[in-house]
Amino acid sequence: MAGEDLRLSLVVLAPLIGSILSYLLGRRVPKLAGIVASGAVLVSFVATVLLWREVSPTTAFTSSLSSWLTVSFQGAPFSLPIDLYFDSLSAVMCLIVTGVGFLIHVYSAGYMAHDKGIARFFAYLNLFIAAMLILVLGKSLPVIFIGWEGVGLCSYLLIGFWYTNTEYAKAGRKAFVMNRIGDVGFIVAMALLFTYCGTLDVVELSKESVLARVPAGLAFLVGISLFVAATGKSAQIPLFTWLPDAMAGPTPVSALIHAATMVTAGIYLMGRMHGVVELDPAVPAVILWVALATAAVAATTALAQNDIKKVLAYSTVSQLGFMFLAVGVGQYSVALCHVVTHAFFKACLFLSAGSVIHECHHEQDMRRMGGLAKKMPITAACYGVSTLAIAGICPFAGYYSKHAIFGAISTTTNPFLHPYIGLVGGLATAIAVCTAFYMARSFIMTFLGSYRGEGHPHEAPVVMTAPVAILGVLAVVGGFLFVHPITDFVTGPLPPTSVGHESGGLFGIFIGSLPGIFGIALAAYLFILAPREKDVLRAIFSPLERLFERKYYADELLDIAVVRPVDKLSGVAYRAIDQRIVEGSGGAVGSVVQAVGELTCRMTTGQVTTYVLLMFFAAAALFSVFSQVR
Amino acid sequence: MITGFPPLSFLILIPVIGAVVCYGPWFARERDAQARLCRAWSLAVSAMTLVLLLAIAKAGVSDPRVVLSVSETRPWLPSLGINLNLLLDGLSFVFCLLTCVVTLAVIAWSSRPAEAGPSWYGLLLVGQSTVLGAFLATDLFVFYCFFELMLLPVLVAMALWGGPRRLQAALKFLLYTIVGSVPMLLSILYVTWVSSEALGHSSGGTKFTFDLFSLSTVNALSPTQQIAAGLGFLVAFAVKTPIVPLHGWLPETYREAPHGTAAFTAALLGKVGVYGIIRFMFPLFPDFMLLAGPYLAAAGAIGVVYGAMVAMVQRDVRSLLAYSSISHLGFCILGIGVASDLAITGAVFQAVSHGLVTVALFLVFGKVIEREGTRDLDSFGGLAQQIPVSAFFLMVFSIAAVALPLTSSFVGEFLIIIGSWKGAPGWTALALVGVVLGAVYTLTAYLKTMFGPERERSGAASIPDMRGGEVVVAAALAAAIVFLGVFPQSTLDTIAPAVEQQLAKMPEGGLANPRAQMRPRASSAADAADTQSSEGLVQNIALAGKQEGTAR
């Protein structure tokens, strides 16, 4: 057991130590920062792999890092140990976090090579990995919460990494605050679960006997609170607008935190706590509708974006919605599969986009790109296969997980959802077409046609292209290598999936790929073959385009519904109430003193010392009375 | 323990003696040199106090199974029943430790002697002594004296070296706290008066005492009398903590006091209110506390949100910190209102943690204010590149203020929330809104101070980034905050038994429990009190008091 203990601690501690080391060394020798940080994540990855080989759906390792805190009174003791728990579910998440994380670290060494703050950058990045690992390895909700807040902090620091730009710094603050709203849900869930179940241990909380202690009337509240937490971290309606703004951070950060790992924490939490989520069948129903709405809103918003990173950001929101669709119908392992394949192709897309931005001198507008396929062939190829993957075309990775989600929707037995399966399936298909369309559009605008910018882009250095290429390969083969083994692998902690492994033959594959093919074909037709018809379409849909461009005025709505009322109320609280208390009180207190003073000695001089003396005299007088009585 | 050596009295006396030396004009002629000498001297004195406190505590718990409880009694006005009863248990220890650490930090902070000169250091030491006295005294009258004396050093420092509106602020501060504490004095006399008969029962006469434990054991107050007397105490503590809406003195005091004094006041004065409620009100007025519980919980939760909202619209850094204090201490009041073991333990932890975080924020922001020559948040900006060390520490302390896990604030807030949910779910949920708003104003303040493009400034460069002593102080405070967040166990083990003793008369679980289920442990409180009272007859008296109570 000791060996596993050591390795499990190493998984978390390596990036934590790496964070400090890379800062201290990177301050002096900037090149070392990237090497040390990447090395730390590699150590963590290797340790994870070693553990992963020994873990099976029915076994798990536990390692105790610290006893943190215990408060025991005569009632139930309240104890929160910092225990790590490595089961097949954590294993999959850890492999993604450390594996994809390592590739992105290597890439960052190239991408950030000339930045002044490279040491700080890698310190934050490694700290993020450590926090993310605590999140997925935590054995109790408070430990998960440590990681949950830790990744939020790192995300805040990295979005505002170039803090001299006030807008970037504000984007970081926005992300933190919106996540904080979700965190309130997390805290409420913890308070409720501890109050009624008496434990916050995730293993205990997966037992039916423990969960049965939650009163029926509160089951919905507990589940929904957890989902609120998930909407914050995983950018679902109404807490999704921070993610597009988070693109202010350096592109590797967007790839790592805002695509591959942190934003999937909500799905992980749902899976880990699926017993709680399913206590009340209304909760999965709410999750499904919110997920569907988010996927639709984000996919249509992505149609009208010209910033390449914004397209990818909305696409992430939309794909996260797809994952929550699977959560809503109770197919957590299917959701997890999409987490895995999404990590591959979305990280690849972001890193490719990063290379493009890097080579185009920080130009992010696709209207000033174009024709880059000739100048950056490897990057273009990687972006291309990832586009096919996200579009869900067989045999690319996204096909398998997306196909499984479509299969999962039809299997639901939830009484709130059953009547609407056709509607849900239809909408999801439409969204899949949208996804293929806007991704193909971004590929065409960036890589095909002729170059419209002013720079002199050429292929990125090897340190950047190699990780992109590896991710590209994973985006191609990830599906059939990993997806079905994963669904079987995680059946211990997650309920077994009812989605079959059947491929349905060639025709089935074709039908499954059809939304993707249709979307891509449409984009190719409108943007390459018949650009004029695009303008006609545009004219017809122009009011909608405005709506899409402004992401359904979500920021404005939030502003009107939440931000401004709170601001206004705060202003009122300050000016109308507090100013009066503060300014009025002086007078009020004064008059009380005056009244007391006049009453007792009629010698009010208005001097402070008099009051002090008065007080002591009064005390003395009272004491003499006491003595008399005695 | 050496017999005849009264360690707790020494603890209170050392800073005063040190302060007297500060006023002696005899060790350097030049004012600057004098101030520098004074700084070194008071640094040594406050360090010595800290060491003595730790030594007393260490000697008090020679055996790990023993709960810390060092007490002292010496007669002062025996005919009136007033004795210098001092007690160092887990509860007073953590607050005394906070006091010593904060004083040391404030003195050690500025490498340049305060412009106020030598007497400022003297006042600070006097302040330390009175606050220590308030945390140690268990005689109600002695406590009251310290509670009032505490004001003087702050008042004088503010009136002499404060901001432009210092006199007005000082006057308001004085009036508020005195008007607030007069009811407490009356209540103290009332409690003694009512209890005197029961206490003197065995000897057939009356007997006066101000000793908390004797009064608590005799338990002579009927619920109605408890309400009358409890309200007097509550007003005094509510003003001091402060509980909204009795906070009228706070913003101006925090704004106008000189840097170090403001840090000292913000970190410590409010804690006396929190401590006072837990130490005195639970044992003396258990029925009143149960009755007032829901209102206190409500006031706490409203305070959390109200303080945070008002903090959000402040432009003056010090005002922002003032209202954020109201918000953070609202959590303590919430926990006290619910009165479950867990919540009160959390409240004590939160109070200590808030003291550390607040003093750190005041000191670092003080640096920024000093450098920029203004306190207006909107005229800061882009400082992260110019003063990176300050920026780093301010980030650490801001994170702690937001109560992220693995900082001390998280432990406190989390225990309060978990402990309060059962007793007052609605108010606890409301307080959680403050968690979001807290992130808003803290990060906004940081953003406006440190982030953004660098600005052109005139003459700002004359004050450099933090260095030397300042870095040491900031690093030590940061280490303490993180240590309490990562390894809170030893502190909790110190607090919890003391809290349990304080709550001995409350029904288990506080508000969450119906009143009927009183704890069967009331006798253990009497046992504890046994050591405090001068006679061994306490239990008989208690029995007599109870019989009388039932007869009535």
Side-chain angles (χ1 to χ4, degrees):
Chain A
M1 209 55 196
E4 289 136 21
D5 259 15
L6 188 68
R7 270 174 285 166
L8 197 44
S9 315
L10 193 65
V11 170
V12 173
L13 291 180
L16 204 59
I17 296 165
S19 169
I20 298 163
L21 274 184
S22 61
Y23 184 73
L24 293 179
L25 294 174
R27 285 278 302 276
R28 284 166 188 81
V29 192
K31 270 199 170 161
L32 275 179
I35 295 168
V36 172
S38 310
V41 181
L42 187 62
V43 168
S44 189
F45 178 67
V46 170
T48 308
V49 170
L50 292 176
L51 282 167
W52 163 64
R53 286 170 37 172
E54 288 167 35
V55 86
S56 77
T58 48
T59 57
F61 306 132
T62 308
S63 161
S64 186
L65 273 191
S66 137
S67 61
W68 205 14
L69 63 98
T70 307
V71 185
S72 52
F73 293 104
Q74 293 202 331
F78 177 69
S79 105
L80 298 178
I82 301 190
D83 286 348
L84 302 181
Y85 183 70
F86 192 90
D87 64 354
S88 50
L89 174 58
S90 333
V92 173
M93 291 301 287
C94 281
L95 284 172
I96 293 298
V97 172
T98 53
V100 175
F102 170 68
L103 293 175
I104 295 176
H105 269 71
V106 172
Y107 176 93
S108 306
Y111 189 86
M112 299 296 287
H114 304 295
D115 197 286
K116 276 195 303 188
I118 188 167
R120 192 164 55 92
F121 178 83
F122 276 106
Y124 291 164
L125 214 57
N126 255 4
L127 192 63
F128 168 79
I129 296 279
M132 190 67 207
L133 288 169
I134 291 175
L135 196 163
V136 297
L137 287 170
K139 187 166 182 286
S140 66
L141 284 174
V143 180
I144 295 178
F145 193 66
I146 295 175
W148 190 268
E149 294 289 82
V151 293
L153 172 69
C154 295
S155 161
Y156 159 76
L157 291 170
L158 283 164
I159 294 169
F161 181 73
W162 289 311
Y163 54 76
T164 46
N165 183 327
T166 312
E167 288 310 308
Y168 291 3
K170 280 185 177 162
R173 182 184 60 172
K174 181 177 180 181
F176 193 91
V177 170
M178 287 186 106
N179 270 294
R180 203 74 185 153
I181 297 172
D183 297 345
V184 170
F186 203 122
I187 298 173
V188 168
M190 284 195 282
L192 283 166
L193 286 171
F194 179 74
T195 305
Y196 294 103
C197 301
T199 179
L200 291 172
D201 185 293
V202 292
V203 180
E204 287 291 308
L205 283 175
S206 62
K207 291 177 186 155
E208 267 180 44
S209 58
V210 177
L211 288 174
R213 291 183 217 148
V214 177
L218 290 173
F220 181 73
L221 185 60
V222 182
I224 266 313
S225 303
L226 274 180
F227 179 57
V228 167
T231 56
K233 207 55 83 194
S234 295
Q236 298 294 293
I237 288 175
L239 301 177
F240 73 104
T241 57
W242 66 268
L243 187 59
D245 288 15
M247 296 301 120
T251 307
V253 171
S254 313
L256 178 62
I257 301 182
H258 306 118
T261 56
M262 183 186 86
V263 288
T264 61
I267 288 99
Y268 170 78
L269 183 71
M270 294 291 103
R272 185 53 90 192
M273 303 301 295
H274 65 88
V276 177
V277 173
E278 286 170 347
L279 275 176
D280 188 330
V283 175
V286 170
I287 293 176
L288 184 118
W289 290 118
V290 169
L292 196 62
T294 310
V297 164
T300 46
T301 305
L303 293 174
Q305 302 299 317
N306 288 316
D307 181 326
I308 187 167
K309 284 186 77 178
K310 286 274 159 76
V311 173
L312 295 177
Y314 285 107
S315 139
T316 304
V317 176
S318 177
Q319 295 302 307
L320 290 166
F322 264 96
M323 296 169 202
F324 276 106
L325 278 182
V327 168
V329 294
Q331 301 293 340
Y332 302 94
S333 51
V334 170
L336 188 70
C337 284
H338 203 51
V339 168
V340 173
T341 58
H342 180 258
F344 295 151
F345 59 68
K346 190 51 69 65
C348 182
L349 286 168
F350 262 114
L351 294 187
S352 310
S355 299
V356 168
I357 294 166
H358 192 73
E359 293 303 318
C360 294
H361 304 283
H362 294 276
E363 180 58 69
Q364 295 186 193
D365 194 329
M366 294 187 296
R367 285 169 298 191
R368 269 178 270 163
M369 294 175 182
L372 294 175
K374 280 172 228 144
K375 297 175 176 160
M376 309 173 68
I378 302 172
T379 308
C382 291
Y383 197 96
V385 292
S386 298
T387 301
L388 294 174
I390 194 174
I393 289 169
C394 197
F396 300 96
Y399 166 78
Y400 290 92
S401 51
K402 227 176 214 183
H403 191 57
I405 291 175
F406 280 109
I409 291 171
S410 60
T411 62
T412 180
T413 51
N414 188 317
F416 293 101
L417 296 175
H418 202 65
Y420 309 105
I421 286 176
L423 177 65
V424 174
L427 276 172
T429 311
I431 295 164
V433 173
C434 267
T435 309
F437 178 80
Y438 66 69
M439 285 311 302
R441 169 178 173 261
S442 77
F443 180 80
I444 293 163
M445 284 178 80
T446 310
F447 292 103
L448 303 184
S450 54
Y451 185 58
R452 298 178 290 271
E454 278 116 44
H456 302 283
H458 35 74
E459 191 58 270
V462 182
V463 67
M464 285 162 73
T465 47
V468 178
I470 295 173
L471 284 167
V473 170
L474 285 170
V476 176
V477 302
F480 45 84
L481 276 188
F482 299 122
V483 167
H484 293 318
I486 284 175
T487 46
D488 295 335
F489 184 58
V490 295
T491 44
L494 297 179
T497 173
S498 52
V499 181
H501 292 186
E502 86 289 340
S503 58
L506 272 180
F507 182 69
I509 287 173
F510 175 71
I511 293 292
S513 312
L514 205 53
I517 294 172
F518 181 64
I520 291 174
L522 192 65
Y525 176 70
L526 288 179
F527 286 89
I528 302 173
L529 299 177
R532 234 175 270 152
E533 299 195 10
K534 178 185 70 183
D535 296 334
V536 176
L537 266 181
R538 227 180 170 165
I540 298 168
F541 288 111
S542 63
L544 276 179
E545 192 184 2
R546 183 104 192 102
L547 187 70
F548 294 162
E549 219 183 315
R550 310 287 307 159
K551 52 183 174 236
Y552 293 75
Y553 297 96
D555 267 333
E556 288 80 355
L557 281 174
L558 273 178
D559 196 52
I560 292 169
V562 182
V563 179
R564 266 192 247 166
V566 170
D567 267 353
K568 200 154 198 179
L569 207 60
S570 305
V572 169
Y574 178 52
R575 274 179 290 277
I577 304 174
D578 213 80
Q579 294 282 48
R580 268 189 211 161
I581 290 175
V582 171
E583 274 160 23
S585 63
V589 172
S591 51
V592 169
V593 171
Q594 203 164 357
V596 172
E598 277 173 5
L599 209 72
T600 45
C601 67
R602 292 166 186 273
M603 264 174 48
T604 315
T605 56
Q607 279 174 6
V608 172
T609 44
T610 314
Y611 299 129
V612 180
L613 285 176
L614 196 78
M615 207 169 57
F616 282 105
F617 281 131
L622 280 162
F623 275 115
S624 54
V625 172
F626 275 112
S627 323
Q628 290 300 313
V629 171
R630 194 181 185 205
Chain B
M1 192 74 36
I2 313 153
T3 45
F5 174 73
L8 298 180
S9 312
F10 262 86
L11 201 60
I12 300 174
L13 275 176
I14 287 177
V16 179
I17 297 168
V20 170
V21 175
C22 278
Y23 285 106
W26 24 262
F27 53 122
R29 236 169 278 153
E30 198 197 342
R31 194 167 173 280
D32 251 16
Q34 214 178 6
R36 222 170 294 130
L37 265 175
C38 256
R39 178 173 172 274
W41 166 252
S42 39
L43 201 60
V45 171
S46 60
M48 201 157 77
T49 322
L50 178 62
V51 170
L52 178 63
L53 175 69
L54 293 174
I56 297 170
K58 188 108 203 311
V61 284
S62 44
D63 186 339
R65 282 166 302 176
V66 175
V67 173
L68 175 66
S69 176
V70 180
S71 62
E72 258 177 59
T73 299
R74 49 184 48 238
W76 184 21
L77 298 170
S79 61
L80 297 175
I82 298 172
N83 298 304
L84 267 176
N85 294 341
L86 305 176
L87 168 70
L88 185 76
D89 66 351
L91 184 62
S92 39
F93 173 69
V94 289
F95 281 107
C96 286
L97 192 60
L98 174 71
T99 310
C100 292
V101 168
V102 165
T103 315
L104 192 62
V106 170
I107 293 175
W109 172 255
S110 181
S111 43
R112 305 179 310 137
E115 65 271 36
S119 39
W120 183 81
Y121 292 105
L123 277 176
L124 200 67
L125 288 177
V126 172
Q128 180 187 18
S129 163
T130 51
V131 174
L132 281 175
F135 284 137
L136 288 170
T138 53
D139 184 287
L140 297 188
F141 191 79
V142 176
F143 170 76
Y144 176 76
C145 292
F146 280 121
F147 190 75
E148 291 293 38
L149 282 173
M150 225 162 58
L151 306 177
L152 285 178
V154 176
L155 266 176
V156 175
M158 181 156 57
L160 289 180
W161 306 293
R165 285 154 58 91
R166 56 183 184 267
L167 285 180
Q168 194 190 338
L171 185 65
K172 188 182 277 183
F173 179 50
L174 181 74
L175 293 182
Y176 245 101
T177 41
I178 284 184
V179 170
S181 51
V182 165
M184 180 163 82
L185 179 61
L186 295 177
S187 290
I188 290 174
L189 298 175
Y190 180 69
V191 171
T192 303
W193 175 257
V194 172
S195 308
S196 63
E197 217 171 292
L199 274 165
H201 197 265
S202 53
S203 54
T206 51
K207 178 176 174 300
F208 290 108
T209 180
F210 287 91
D211 179 52
L212 168 65
F213 295 98
S214 311
L215 290 172
S216 149
T217 312
V218 76
N219 201 12
L221 273 70
S222 72
T224 328
Q225 288 171 323
Q226 285 188 24
I227 294 173
L231 276 175
F233 274 75
L234 189 59
V235 168
F237 294 141
V239 167
K240 193 78 83 177
T241 302
I243 300 177
V244 172
L246 297 177
H247 63 280
W249 59 273
L250 181 105
E252 282 177 44
T253 305
Y254 282 20
R255 252 199 324 260
E256 300 301 324
H259 287 316
T261 309
F264 180 84
T265 313
L268 294 177
L269 248 54
K271 310 305 174 293
V272 182
V274 173
Y275 166 84
I277 297 178
I278 297 170
R279 169 66 85 209
F280 295 101
M281 295 193 65
F282 282 113
L284 286 178
F285 319 115
D287 295 303
F288 171 70
M289 286 310 283
L290 265 186
L291 198 71
Y295 301 101
L296 276 177
I302 291 169
V304 170
V305 177
Y306 177 85
M309 284 175 77
V310 177
M312 273 177 21
V313 292
Q314 298 303 312
R315 288 181 58 174
D316 183 312
V317 184
R318 291 258 200 102
S319 297
L320 187 142
L321 291 175
Y323 286 104
S324 89
S325 281
I326 294 175
S327 181
H328 288 301
L329 287 175
F331 274 106
C332 296
I333 302 299
L334 170 68
I336 286 172
V338 173
S340 69
D341 299 306
L342 212 53
I344 302 268
T345 308
V348 174
F349 201 94
Q350 163 81 351
V352 172
S353 150
H354 177 256
L356 291 174
V357 175
T358 302
V359 78
L361 282 174
F362 259 93
L363 292 176
V364 179
F365 266 123
K367 184 83 195 169
V368 174
I369 293 167
E370 208 182 351
R371 186 186 154 90
E372 301 297 300
T374 170
R375 296 192 308 226
D376 185 2
L377 272 175
D378 290 342
S379 55
F380 297 161
L383 288 174
Q385 281 173 316
Q386 295 175 2
I387 44 173
V389 183
S390 306
F392 169 77
F393 280 111
L394 192 59
M395 177 54 80
V396 173
F397 299 135
S398 297
I399 290 167
V402 175
L404 251 50
L406 303 187
T407 64
S408 56
S409 328
F410 175 75
V411 176
E413 277 184 20
F414 193 64
L415 287 178
I416 292 172
I417 289 163
I418 292 284
S420 301
W421 190 272
K422 208 170 182 185
W427 295 121
T428 313
L430 177 65
L432 285 176
V433 175
V435 168
V436 177
L437 300 182
V440 175
Y441 67 72
T442 311
L443 295 187
T444 304
Y446 192 89
L447 187 134
K448 285 186 176 174
T449 311
M450 294 299 177
F451 290 160
E454 280 187 58
R455 294 191 186 184
E456 288 293 318
R457 284 185 183 76
S458 51
S462 59
I463 295 168
D465 198 2
M466 279 162 57
R467 60 184 180 189
E470 294 165 339
V471 176
V472 172
V473 170
L477 286 173
I481 288 165
V482 173
F483 176 82
L484 284 180
V486 181
F487 306 104
Q489 194 56 54
S490 54
T491 313
L492 287 171
D493 284 342
T494 314
I495 298 171
V499 164
E500 203 171 13
Q501 226 163 53
Q502 294 301 312
L503 293 182
K505 284 189 182 177
M506 300 292 287
E508 194 166 344
L511 288 190
N513 246 21
R515 183 195 278 242
Q517 296 175 340
M518 292 296 277
R519 285 183 208 204
R521 284 181 290 144
S523 60
S524 72
D527 289 346
D530 221 348
T531 52
Q532 311 302 330
S533 66
S534 38
E535 290 100 8
L537 293 165
V538 183
Q539 255 160 344
N540 292 339
I541 297 166
L543 277 175
K546 270 191 187 137
Q547 276 160 9
E548 198 171 83
T550 47
R552 218 184 291 146

